[in-house]
Coordinates of all heavy atoms in Angstrom, one line a residue:
V198 N 1.9 14.1 7.6 CA 1.6 12.7 7.0 C 0.2 12.6 7.2 O -0.4 12.3 8.2 CB 2.4 11.6 7.8 CG1 2.1 10.3 7.2 CG2 3.9 11.9 7.8
P199 N -0.6 12.7 6.1 CA -2.1 12.6 6.1 C -2.5 11.2 6.6 O -1.8 10.2 6.3 CB -2.6 12.9 4.7 CG -1.4 13.6 4.0 CD -0.1 13.1 4.7
Y200 N -3.6 11.2 7.3 CA -4.2 9.9 7.7 C -5.4 9.7 6.9 O -6.3 10.4 6.8 CB -4.5 10.0 9.2 CG -5.3 8.8 9.7 CD1 -4.6 7.6 9.9 CD2 -6.6 8.9 10.1 CE1 -5.3 6.4 10.4 CE2 -7.3 7.8 10.7 CZ -6.5 6.5 10.8 OH -7.2 5.4 11.2
T201 N -5.5 8.4 6.3 CA -6.5 8.1 5.4 C -7.5 7.0 5.9 O -8.4 6.5 5.2 CB -6.0 7.6 4.0 OG1 -5.2 6.5 4.2 CG2 -5.1 8.7 3.3
G202 N -7.3 6.6 7.1 CA -8.0 5.6 7.7 C -9.3 6.1 8.4 O -9.8 7.3 8.2
E203 N -9.9 5.3 9.2 CA -11.2 5.6 9.8 C -11.0 6.8 10.8 O -10.2 6.8 11.6 CB -11.7 4.3 10.7 CG -12.9 4.6 11.4 CD -14.1 4.9 10.5 OE1 -14.5 4.1 9.7 OE2 -14.7 6.0 10.8
R204 N -11.9 7.8 10.7 CA -11.8 9.0 11.6 C -12.8 8.9 12.7 O -12.7 9.8 13.6 CB -12.0 10.2 10.7 CG -11.1 10.3 9.6 CD -11.1 11.7 8.8 NE -10.6 12.7 9.7 CZ -9.4 13.0 9.9 NH1 -8.4 12.4 9.1 NH2 -9.0 13.9 10.6
R205 N -13.7 8.0 12.8 CA -14.5 7.9 14.0 C -13.7 7.4 15.2 O -12.8 6.7 15.1 CB -15.7 6.9 13.7 CG -16.8 7.4 12.8 CD -17.9 6.4 12.6 NE -17.4 5.2 11.8 CZ -18.0 4.1 11.6 NH1 -19.3 4.0 12.1 NH2 -17.5 3.2 10.9
V206 N -14.2 7.8 16.4 CA -13.3 7.6 17.6 C -14.0 6.5 18.4 O -15.1 6.3 18.6 CB -13.3 8.9 18.4 CG1 -12.5 8.6 19.8 CG2 -12.6 10.1 17.7
D207 N -13.0 5.5 18.8 CA -13.4 4.4 19.7 C -13.3 4.9 21.2 O -12.3 4.7 21.8 CB -12.5 3.2 19.4 CG -12.8 2.1 20.3 OD1 -13.8 2.0 21.0 OD2 -12.0 1.1 20.3
V208 N -14.4 5.5 21.7 CA -14.4 6.0 23.0 C -14.2 5.0 24.1 O -13.3 5.1 25.0 CB -15.7 6.8 23.3 CG1 -15.7 7.4 24.7 CG2 -15.9 8.0 22.3
V209 N -14.9 3.9 23.9 CA -14.7 2.9 25.0 C -13.3 2.3 25.0 O -12.6 2.0 26.1 CB -15.8 1.6 24.7 CG1 -15.5 0.6 25.6 CG2 -17.1 2.2 24.8
G210 N -12.8 2.0 23.8 CA -11.3 1.6 23.7 C -10.4 2.6 24.4 O -9.4 2.2 25.1
A211 N -10.6 3.8 24.2 CA -9.7 4.9 24.7 C -9.8 4.8 26.3 O -8.8 4.9 26.9 CB -10.1 6.3 24.2
V212 N -11.0 4.8 26.8 CA -11.2 4.7 28.2 C -10.6 3.4 28.8 O -9.9 3.5 29.9 CB -12.8 4.7 28.6 CG1 -12.9 4.5 30.2 CG2 -13.3 6.1 28.2
L213 N -10.7 2.3 28.2 CA -10.1 1.1 28.7 C -8.6 1.2 28.7 O -8.0 0.6 29.6 CB -10.6 -0.1 27.9 CG -12.0 -0.6 28.1 CD1 -12.5 -1.6 27.1 CD2 -12.3 -1.1 29.5
S214 N -8.0 1.8 27.7 CA -6.5 1.8 27.5 C -6.1 2.7 28.8 O -5.0 2.4 29.3 CB -6.1 2.5 26.3 OG -6.4 3.8 26.2
V215 N -6.8 3.8 29.1 CA -6.3 4.6 30.2 C -6.5 3.9 31.5 O -5.5 3.9 32.4 CB -7.1 6.1 30.2 CG1 -6.8 6.8 31.5 CG2 -6.8 6.8 29.0
L216 N -7.5 3.3 31.7 CA -7.8 2.5 33.0 C -6.9 1.4 33.1 O -6.4 1.1 34.3 CB -9.2 2.0 33.0 CG -10.4 3.0 33.1 CD1 -11.7 2.3 33.2 CD2 -10.2 3.9 34.5
G217 N -6.5 0.7 32.0 CA -5.7 -0.4 32.0 C -4.2 -0.1 32.5 O -3.7 -0.5 33.5
M218 N -3.5 0.8 31.6 CA -2.1 1.1 31.9 C -2.1 2.0 33.2 O -1.1 1.9 33.9 CB -1.5 1.7 30.7 CG -1.3 0.7 29.6 SD -0.4 1.4 28.1 CE -1.7 2.4 27.4
G219 N -3.0 2.9 33.2 CA -3.0 3.8 34.4 C -3.2 3.1 35.7 O -2.6 3.4 36.7
G220 N -4.1 2.1 35.7 CA -4.5 1.5 37.0 C -3.3 0.7 37.6 O -3.2 0.6 38.7
I221 N -2.6 -0.1 36.7 CA -1.5 -0.9 37.2 C -0.4 0.0 37.8 O 0.1 -0.3 38.8 CB -1.0 -1.7 36.0 CG1 -2.0 -2.8 35.5 CG2 0.3 -2.5 36.4 CD1 -1.6 -3.6 34.4
V222 N 0.0 1.0 37.1 CA 1.1 1.8 37.6 C 0.6 2.6 38.8 O 1.4 2.8 39.8 CB 1.8 2.7 36.5 CG1 2.9 3.6 37.1 CG2 2.2 1.8 35.4
L223 N -0.6 3.1 38.7 CA -1.1 3.9 39.8 C -1.2 3.1 41.1 O -1.0 3.6 42.2 CB -2.5 4.5 39.5 CG -3.1 5.4 40.5 CD1 -2.1 6.7 40.8 CD2 -4.5 5.9 40.1
S224 N -1.5 1.8 41.0 CA -1.6 0.9 42.2 C -0.3 0.9 42.8 O -0.1 0.8 44.1 CB -2.0 -0.5 41.7 OG -1.1 -1.2 40.9
I225 N 0.9 0.8 42.0 CA 2.2 0.7 42.5 C 2.6 2.1 43.3 O 3.2 2.2 44.3 CB 3.2 0.4 41.5 CG1 2.9 -0.9 40.9 CG2 4.6 0.4 42.0 CD1 3.8 -1.2 39.6
L226 N 2.2 3.2 42.6 CA 2.4 4.5 43.3 C 1.6 4.6 44.6 O 2.2 5.2 45.6 CB 2.0 5.7 42.3 CG 2.8 5.9 41.1 CD1 2.3 7.0 40.2 CD2 4.2 6.3 41.5
V227 N 0.5 4.1 44.6 CA -0.4 4.2 45.9 C 0.3 3.3 47.0 O 0.4 3.7 48.1 CB -1.8 3.8 45.6 CG1 -2.6 3.6 47.0 CG2 -2.5 4.7 44.8
W228 N 0.8 2.2 46.5 CA 1.5 1.3 47.5 C 2.7 1.9 48.0 O 3.0 1.9 49.2 CB 1.9 0.0 46.7 CG 2.7 -0.9 47.5 CD1 2.6 -1.3 48.8 CD2 3.8 -1.7 47.0 NE1 3.6 -2.2 49.2 CE2 4.4 -2.5 48.1 CE3 4.4 -1.9 45.7 CZ2 5.4 -3.4 47.9 CZ3 5.5 -2.8 45.5 CH2 6.0 -3.5 46.6
Q229 N 3.5 2.6 47.1 CA 4.7 3.4 47.5 C 4.4 4.4 48.5 O 5.1 4.6 49.5 CB 5.3 4.1 46.2 CG 6.6 4.9 46.6 CD 7.2 5.4 45.3 OE1 7.4 4.7 44.4 NE2 7.4 6.7 45.3
E230 N 3.2 5.1 48.4 CA 2.8 6.2 49.3 C 2.1 5.6 50.6 O 1.6 6.4 51.4 CB 2.0 7.2 48.7 CG 2.8 8.0 47.6 CD 4.0 8.8 48.3 OE1 3.8 9.5 49.2 OE2 5.1 8.7 47.8
G231 N 2.0 4.3 50.7 CA 1.3 3.7 51.9 C -0.2 3.9 51.8 O -0.8 3.8 52.9
G232 N -0.8 4.1 50.7 CA -2.2 4.3 50.6 C -2.9 2.9 50.5 O -2.3 1.9 50.5

Side-chain angles (χ1 to χ4, degrees):
V198 184
Y200 175 66
T201 58
E203 177 63 59
R204 303 190 68 83
R205 288 178 291 170
V206 178
D207 178 9
V208 176
V209 174
V212 171
L213 288 173
S214 72
V215 172
L216 291 177
M218 290 185 286
I221 290 175
V222 179
L223 187 59
S224 68
I225 300 172
L226 289 177
V227 170
W228 174 40
Q229 177 177 310
E230 290 299 309

